[in-house]
Amino acid sequence: MTALDPKQGGTFVDGTLGGGGHSALIIDRIMPGGRFIGIDQDMDAIQNARKRFSDHGESVTLVHDNFANIAAILKDLGVSGVDGILVDIGLSQHQLEGSGRGFSFMRDEPLDMRMDARGDTTAEDLVNTLPEKELADIIFKYGEERFSRGIARAIVKKRQASPITTTAELADIIRYAMPAKAVAKQKIHPATRSFQAIRIAVNRELDRLERFMDDFLGLLNPGGRLCVLSFHSLEDRIVKQKMKELATGCTCPKQFPICTCGNEPKVKLLTRKAVRPADDEVAENPMARSTRLRACEKL
Ligand SMILES: C[S@@+](CC[C@H](N)C(=O)[O-])C[C@H]1O[C@@H](n2cnc3c(N)ncnc32)[C@H](O)[C@@H]1O
């Protein structure tokens, strides 16, 4: 909230409603007189927010969509500029623990992993149809899993016998595809990285974040702020690079002695380095352990 700085009467967007924790804090600060737009691609989050924020009438608008479409969403609502946007990317506690959509290897659920039930590809589709190399590349790139090749090979071998349809089945295949010594040494469940990778691919999370980062600046009022909470180094890199590019302005090659492009900085960085949660916050909320916050202000 310090970085986002919601003020009474302001117009703010929460692009990732989730359980509505951040939204409640924003609404509390901008009302009366403010306008709040909450977006989530998961209908469960929208339904929860409808109940939670029903007292605010027209001042609160809830939109079931992807935040990658934020420019079109605001245009449709006739909102020409906002004072702040927050996105807190990743999975909500509800999705992980209560959605029944196969986000967690700790439960035996159908292999779905779509945050938006209207999405055209499920995790089951990906693990049963992708060529082995593509599967391995996804697990390596999005999961940073060094045993990706062996895992992909084991998945393909298993699916040739019968399709893989549940999280428990997939978690088992992954576990037995990894060297037992490596499994014993790991602090996290052996399927953690592969599950994360498949989820990122199913929801095309990085593409959507890139689209959002390309559009946010045009939607902020001068002095308006963007705060992004990310959980994955690839997400953080996208956010960091875009904010840095906008804060630098000049796009001349480094070897140019003076600037000839004349591009001015468009944002001020509010966080030089990504802000990490303090130990007591992680103790209270272990899911926050890998969160990184970056924020900037439109000049
Ligand atoms: C970590 S939770 C947000 C938690 C929330 N800040 C709170 O305080 O309860 C992430 C939420 O963002 C949603 N989400 C993730 N990526 C999204 C995207 N590209 N567009 C819209 N919603 C997204 C998920 O469906 C999920 O509900």
Side-chain angles (χ1 to χ4, degrees), residues 18 25 32 46 64 83 92 95 137 152 174 180 184 223 228 230 233 265 271:
L25 295 174
I46 299 291
H64 180 213
D83 302 308
S92 67
Q95 286 167 331
D137 288 347
I174 295 168
V228 182
S230 63
S233 54
T271 49

Side-chain angles (χ1 to χ4, degrees), residues 40-103:
D40 204 294
Q41 61 175 327
D42 190 331
M43 198 57 197
D44 290 358
I46 299 291
Q47 272 161 355
N48 169 63
R50 273 192 196 136
K51 283 189 217 131
R52 192 162 175 186
F53 306 124
S54 61
D55 299 351
H56 297 279
E58 307 261 288
S59 331
V60 167
T61 309
L62 303 171
V63 186
H64 180 213
D65 204 336
N66 199 291
F67 64 62
N69 302 325
I70 187 168
I73 296 170
L74 294 183
K75 190 164 176 245
D76 283 353
L77 295 174
V79 176
S80 56
V82 301
D83 302 308
I85 307 172
L86 166 73
V87 288
D88 174 14
I89 335 172
L91 277 184
S92 67
Q93 198 128 6
H94 165 72
Q95 286 167 331
L96 194 64
E97 290 170 5
S99 71
R101 273 177 270 155
F103 289 108

Side-chain angles (χ1 to χ4, degrees), residues 9-26:
T11 300
F12 282 76
V13 178
D14 184 345
T16 52
L17 279 161
H22 285 120
S23 301
L25 295 174
I26 297 169

